[in-house]
C-alpha cells in the first residue's frame, strides 16, 4: 500500500496513494474552479456594462470600479492563504469562506431587483451624462455585495491550486507529469467556466435581468461547492505548519541582531531542523546567496523562537526574496490585461454588434478567445508538451519563466493592436458624423477579435506559467501563499491600472479642467487610442525588465523529468500516462 509522506486524509491518518489523491481527486477541484469562474469571469467582463447602463456611471468611474473588483478578487487570496498555511487545512478554509461569496451575489440580486435600491431610469432620449448616478446608501450596498464576493472567492483562489498540487507526488514519474498537467487542466477549467459564463450567464444578465443573472451566479458557486465537498474522502491534505510570515520575520530580526557576527567556516555548525522535529515542514538545505541571512542560524547561546533560527527558516526567506524581482516585473507585465478587457467591452457597446440577424453582447465576444484558450491548452498539454519534453528534458516542455515571457510578448502586441483598432473605430465614427453617438457606429465589433486572441495566448502561457512557478518554488509550508502571490500580481496590476487611468486623466486635462484622455461618457471624444499607445510602451519596457531578471533567476526545484532509477529512463508507466 503506497503512502505520501507529510500528507493526511480527512481523519488525520497517513494517506494511501491508491485511495487518495491523483487525477480522481483533482476532478472535484476542477468542478469548483469551473463553476465559480462561470460566475466570476462573466461579471468581471460584464460588470462595466451593469455600472454604465444600470448605475449610470461615467467611463472612468465604471472602469475604475470594475478594475478594483477584479483586483479584490485576486488580493483577498492573501489572507486566506495565510490562514490555510498557518492554522487550518485548505479544505476548511474554502468551506468557511465559500458561503460568503454566495451571500455577496444574493445582495447584488436583491439590489438589482428592488427599484428603490438603484438609480431611477433615464427618460427616453435623455443623455446618459445627465442621468442620476448611484450614490449614498445604495452605493454602499453595491460595494458591500461586490466585496463580499472576493472574500469567499479569494479562499478558493489561494487554496485550490495548492490543494490540487498536493494530490500528486513529484518523486513519482507518473504523478510528476500529472501534476504538470494539473495546472494546464486547472486553467482549462477556468476557461471552460469563462465560456459557460460568457455564453449563458451574460445572456441571462442582459436578456432576463441582472437580478436573475446574479441569482444564477449564486447557484453556480453553490453547485460547485457541493460537488467539491463530495470529494472530501479522496483528498490528500497538508497539515498547517504555523505562520510562515512569523518564520520570515524571525529570520530578518535575528539576522539584523547578529549582523556583526561572523559565519562559521563549517556550514554544518549552523542550526538545522532535525528530521524527527520536522513534522510536515519541508527540510531545506543551505544555498548560496544572501549570506547576511545565514547569520540568523548562528548559535550565539541565546535560545527562543527568534534566535537562533534554523537553516530551513533562512532558506524559506531566501526563496521569497529571490522571487521578488519576478513578482515586481510580472506586476508591470500584467497591467494592460484588465484595462484592455474593460475598455474593449465599452468599445464594443458603440460598434455594430450584429452577427447576421442576431445582436450579441460585447462581453460575449470573449467566448472567442476563451474557446481559443481551451483548444490551445488541450493541444499544448497532449501534443506540444510531450514533443518539447523529448527535446528539452523539461517536464513542462519549457521552463516556467520561458512560458511566462511568451505571454508578456503577446500582451505587448495586444496593446499595440488595440490602439490601431481604436484609431480605426474613431475614424469610422468621424466619417459618418457619429462622434456624439453612444452606439450604432458602422464598424463590426469583430474588429476586436485580434486583441482577444492575443489575450487568449496570454492566459495559455503567462497565467499557467506564473501559477505553476510560484507554487512550485514555494516551500511546503507556503504552497497556498505561493498560489496567492500569483493572484496578488493580478490584483496589484489591476489597482495600478486604475491608478494609471486617474493619472493619465489628470496629466492630460486642460487648464479649464476638461479634456482628459478618458473623461466623460463618450469614448469617441476621448483619447483611448493614445492611452493604449501608452500601455504598449509601458508593456515593452516591462518585458525587458522581466527578461533581465528571469535570465538571472536560479530555480529551487529541478524541472527535468524524473527518471526510473533502475533503467535511467522514464518508466513505462510514466510514458503511458503522458
Amino acid at each position: 500500500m503506497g503512502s505520501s509522506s507529510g500528507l493526511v486524509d480527512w481523519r488525520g491518518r497517513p494517506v494511501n496513494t491508491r485511495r487518495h489523491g491523483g487525477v480522481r481527486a483533482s476532478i472535484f477541484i476542477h468542478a469548483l474552479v469551473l463553476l465559480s469562474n462561470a460566475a466570476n469571469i462573466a461579471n468581471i467582463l460584464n460588470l462595466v456594462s451593469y455600472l454604465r447602463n444600470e448605475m449610470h456611471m461615467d467611463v472612468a468611474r465604471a472602469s475604475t470600479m470594475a478594475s478594483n473588483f477584479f483586483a479584490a478578487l485576486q488580493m483577498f487570496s492573501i489572507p486566506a492563504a495565510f490562514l490555510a498555511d498557518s492554522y487550518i487545512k485548505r479544505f476548511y478554509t474554502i468551506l468557511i469562506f465559500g458561503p460568503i461569496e454566495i451571500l455577496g451575489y444574493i445582495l447584488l440580486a436583491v439590489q438589482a431587483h428592488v427599484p428603490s435600491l438603484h438609480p431611477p431610469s433615464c427618460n427616453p432620449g435623455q443623455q446618459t451624462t445627465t442621468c442620476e448616478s448611484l450614490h449614498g446608501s445604495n452605493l454602499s450596498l453595491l460595494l458591500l455585495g461586490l466585496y463580499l464576493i472576493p472574500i469567499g472567492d479569494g479562499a478558493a483562489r489561494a487554496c485550490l491550486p495548492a490543494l490540487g498540487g498536493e494530490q500528486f507526488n513529484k518523486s513519482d514519474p507518473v504523478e510528476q507529469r500529472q501534476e504538470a498537467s494539473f495546472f494546464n487542466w486547472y486553467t482549462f477549467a477556468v476557461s471552460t467556466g469563462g465560456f459557460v459564463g460568457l455564453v449563458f450567464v451574460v445572456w441571462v444578465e442582459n436578456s432576463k435581468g441582472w437580478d436573475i443573472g446574479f441569482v444564477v451566479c449564486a447557484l453556480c458557486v453553490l453547485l460547485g461547492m457541493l460537488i467539491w465537498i463530495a470529494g472530501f474522502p479522496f483528498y490528500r491534505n497538508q497539515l498547517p505548519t504555523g505562520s510562515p510570515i512569523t518564520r520570515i520575520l524571525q529570520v530578518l530580526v535575528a539576522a539584523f541582531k547578529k549582523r556583526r557576527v561572523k559565519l562559521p567556516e563549517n556550514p554544518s555548525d549552523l542550526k538545522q531542523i532535525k528530521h524527527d522535529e520536522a513534522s510536515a515542514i519541508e527540510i531545506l538545505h543551505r544555498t548560496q546567496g544572501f549570506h547576511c541571512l545565514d547569520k540568523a542560524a548562528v548559535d550565539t547561546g541565546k535560545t527562543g523562537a527568534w534566535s537562533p533560527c534554523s537553516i530551513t527558516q533562512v532558506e524559506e526567506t531566501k526563496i521569497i526574496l529571490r522571487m521578488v524581482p519576478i513578482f515586481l516585473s510580472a506586476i508591470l507585465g500584467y497591467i494592460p490585461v484588465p484595462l484592455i478587457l474593460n475598455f474593449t467591452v465599452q468599445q464594443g457597446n458603440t460598434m455594430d454588434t450584429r452577427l447576421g440577424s442576431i445582436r450579441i453582447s460585447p462581453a460575449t465576444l470573449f467566448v472567442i478567445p476563451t474557446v481559443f484558450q481551451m483548444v490551445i491548452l488541450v493541444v499544448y498539454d497532449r501534443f506540444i508538451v510531450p514533443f518539447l519534453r523529448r527535446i528539452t528534458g523539461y517536464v513542462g516542455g519549457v521552463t516556467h519563466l520561458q512560458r511566462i515571457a511568451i505571454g508578456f510578448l503577446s500582451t505587448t502586441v495586444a496593446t499595440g493592436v488595440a490602439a490601431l483598432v481604436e484609431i480605426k473605430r474613431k475614424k469610422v465614427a468621424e466619417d459618418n458624423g457619429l462622434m456624439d453617438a453612444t452606439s450604432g457606429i458602422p464598424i463590426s465589433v469583430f474588429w476586436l477579435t485580434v486583441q482577444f486572441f492575443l489575450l487568449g495566448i496570454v492566459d495559455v502561457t503567462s497565467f499557467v506559467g506564473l501559477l505553476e512557478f510560484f507554487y512550485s518554488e514555494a516551500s511546503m509550508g507556503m504552497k497556498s501563499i505561493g498560489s496567492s502571490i500569483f493572484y496578488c500580481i493580478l490584483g496589484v496590476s489591476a489597482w495600478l491600472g486604475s491608478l494609471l487611468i486617474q493619472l493619465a486623466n489628470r496629466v492630460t486635462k486642460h487648464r479649464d479642467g476638461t479634456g482628459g484622455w478618458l473623461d466623460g461618457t463618450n469614448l469617441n471624444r476621448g483619447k483611448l487610442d493614445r492611452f493604449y499607445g501608452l500601455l504598449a510602451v509601458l508593456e515593452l519596457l516591462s518585458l525587458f525588465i522581466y527578461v533581465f531578471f528571469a535570465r538571472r533567476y536560479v530555480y529551487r526545484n529541478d524541472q527535468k523529468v524524473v527518471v526510473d532509477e533502475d533503467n535511467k529512463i522514464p518508466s513505462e508507466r510514466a510514458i503511458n500516462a503522458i
Side-chain angles (χ1 to χ4, degrees):
M1 302 293 286
S3 66
S4 186
S5 177
L7 299 174
V8 297
D9 66 5
W10 66 280
R11 294 180 177 176
R13 302 174 301 186
V15 300
N16 178 347
T17 55
R18 295 183 182 179
R19 179 182 301 173
H20 304 102
V23 174
R24 178 176 59 178
S26 69
I27 291 173
F28 295 95
I29 297 172
H30 289 142
L32 177 55
V33 172
L34 189 157
L35 288 166
S36 63
N37 278 281
N40 293 329
I41 291 179
N43 286 295
I44 287 172
L45 300 177
N46 206 30
L47 179 63
V48 70
S49 296
Y50 179 63
L51 299 177
R52 291 287 310 276
N53 300 331
E54 305 296 327
M55 300 301 168
H56 307 159
M57 297 182 182
D58 60 26
V59 172
R61 189 182 180 196
S63 298
T64 299
M65 186 171 290
S67 294
N68 288 341
F69 173 71
F70 175 83
L73 282 170
Q74 323 307 326
M75 296 298 292
F76 273 93
S77 65
I78 296 176
F82 174 76
L83 286 174
D85 281 340
S86 305
Y87 304 112
I88 57 179
K89 294 177 184 177
R90 296 182 179 108
F91 181 91
Y92 293 115
T93 303
I94 302 173
L95 195 61
I96 292 170
F97 289 98
I100 298 177
E101 179 180 4
I102 299 173
L103 176 61
Y105 279 120
I106 292 174
L107 287 180
L108 291 179
V110 170
Q111 182 174 37
H113 182 73
V114 179
S116 62
L117 297 179
H118 50 82
S121 300
C122 296
N123 296 325
Q126 184 178 356
Q127 295 293 323
T128 57
T129 53
T130 61
C131 293
E132 181 182 346
S133 180
L134 189 72
H135 63 278
S137 60
N138 289 344
L139 176 60
S140 299
L141 178 61
L142 174 67
L143 294 174
L144 177 62
L146 285 177
Y147 289 107
L148 282 177
I149 294 171
I151 292 176
D153 188 64
R157 288 174 181 264
C159 298
L160 287 178
L163 181 64
E166 288 169 0
Q167 310 311 310
F168 307 98
N169 184 355
K170 285 186 176 181
S171 63
D172 181 276
V174 173
E175 293 198 4
Q176 185 200 32
R177 289 158 177 77
Q178 289 175 342
E179 184 195 44
S181 290
F182 167 79
F183 289 98
N184 288 328
W185 289 107
Y186 181 95
T187 308
F188 182 85
V190 173
S191 298
T192 306
F195 178 84
V196 173
L198 294 171
V199 171
F200 178 64
V201 176
V202 169
W203 174 79
V204 171
E205 290 175 341
N206 293 334
S207 301
K208 303 300 181 181
W210 284 91
D211 51 350
I212 299 176
F214 288 135
V215 169
V216 169
C217 291
L219 293 175
C220 284
V221 178
L222 177 60
L223 177 61
M225 288 201 65
L226 292 176
I227 296 174
W228 172 76
I229 290 171
F232 186 54
F234 306 110
Y235 297 137
R236 303 174 186 175
N237 299 285
Q238 175 69 43
L239 292 173
T241 58
S243 170
I245 296 177
T246 300
R247 294 197 296 269
I248 291 173
L249 290 176
Q250 288 171 347
V251 170
L252 297 177
V253 171
F256 178 77
K257 288 181 177 179
K258 301 176 186 178
R259 61 189 181 278
R260 293 185 176 88
V261 174
K262 290 185 178 181
L263 287 171
E265 295 182 3
N266 188 354
S268 63
D269 292 336
L270 298 173
K271 182 183 178 183
Q272 181 57 281
I273 292 179
K274 297 179 181 179
H275 284 270
D276 57 356
E277 299 174 347
S279 176
I281 298 177
E282 177 185 7
I283 295 180
L284 305 174
H285 299 286
R286 184 171 180 259
T287 60
Q288 297 300 314
F290 295 105
H291 294 304
C292 58
L293 296 180
D294 291 336
K295 295 181 179 182
V298 176
D299 190 352
T300 58
K302 296 182 179 180
T303 59
W306 293 78
S307 182
C309 301
S310 68
I311 280 295
T312 291
Q313 283 182 259
V314 173
E315 289 303 316
E316 272 192 325
T317 308
K318 288 183 180 181
I319 289 170
I320 295 298
L321 292 178
R322 288 183 178 124
M323 291 193 296
V324 166
I326 302 298
F327 171 79
L328 295 176
S329 57
I331 286 175
L332 294 177
Y334 250 101
I335 286 177
V337 175
L339 294 176
I340 294 176
L341 293 177
N342 285 330
F343 283 120
T344 296
V345 174
Q346 297 188 58
Q347 288 174 278
N349 282 327
T350 69
M351 302 168 75
D352 182 1
T353 60
R354 289 176 297 177
L355 179 60
S357 59
I358 303 173
R359 289 192 177 273
I360 61 174
S361 166
T364 306
L365 286 179
F366 287 97
V367 168
I368 298 172
T370 300
V371 172
F372 176 71
Q373 293 166 26
M374 294 162 63
V375 173
I376 290 297
L377 277 167
V378 173
V379 173
Y380 182 83
D381 185 76
R382 309 312 296 176
F383 300 102
I384 297 178
V385 169
F387 173 74
L388 292 176
R389 185 182 292 148
R390 288 191 291 269
I391 297 175
T392 65
Y394 291 116
V395 67
V398 295
T399 67
H400 303 322
L401 295 178
Q402 289 171 344
R403 189 172 182 176
I404 296 165
I406 295 171
F408 288 158
L409 178 61
S410 298
T411 307
T412 306
V413 178
T415 52
V417 170
L420 295 176
V421 171
E422 175 61 7
I423 291 173
K424 171 71 175 178
R425 188 194 67 82
K426 288 178 61 177
K427 187 176 186 305
V428 172
E430 183 177 5
D431 291 345
N432 288 272
L434 298 172
M435 290 299 289
D436 293 320
T438 57
S439 63
I441 298 175
I443 176 174
S444 174
V445 75
F446 289 97
W447 274 83
L448 302 173
T449 55
V450 176
Q451 61 211 60
F452 284 167
F453 274 117
L454 291 169
L455 290 179
I457 295 176
V458 174
D459 279 346
V460 171
T461 52
S462 291
F463 186 97
V464 182
L466 282 167
L467 182 60
E468 193 168 7
F469 169 75
F470 286 109
Y471 170 81
S472 63
E473 290 295 289
S475 66
M476 188 63 68
M478 301 179 66
K479 290 299 186 183
S480 293
I481 289 180
S483 301
S484 70
I485 288 174
F486 161 66
Y487 287 112
C488 182
I489 287 173
L490 303 185
V492 174
S493 297
W495 273 331
L496 289 178
S498 298
L499 178 63
L500 187 61
I501 291 175
Q502 304 303 323
L503 183 62
N505 260 353
R506 181 173 299 181
V507 171
T508 57
K509 278 185 182 293
H510 297 155
R511 291 184 178 181
D512 60 359
T514 62
W517 281 357
L518 303 173
D519 269 349
T521 59
N522 190 338
L523 279 180
N524 302 328
R525 297 292 183 183
K527 299 294 187 293
L528 180 58
D529 52 335
R530 297 183 184 178
F531 185 72
Y532 277 147
L534 173 64
L535 287 179
V537 173
L538 291 176
E539 182 63 18
L540 185 61
L541 178 62
S542 69
L543 177 61
F544 288 134
I545 295 173
Y546 169 80
V547 171
F548 175 82
F549 287 117
R551 288 174 60 88
R552 287 157 178 77
Y553 186 84
V554 178
Y555 288 97
R556 183 177 80 90
N557 289 311
D558 186 5
Q559 298 181 51
K560 294 289 186 177
V561 175
V562 172
V563 297
D564 188 302
E565 288 299 323
D566 295 328
N567 300 317
K568 299 300 182 183
I569 58 174
S571 67
E572 185 67 26
R573 192 163 64 97
I575 293 174
N576 293 335
I578 297 177

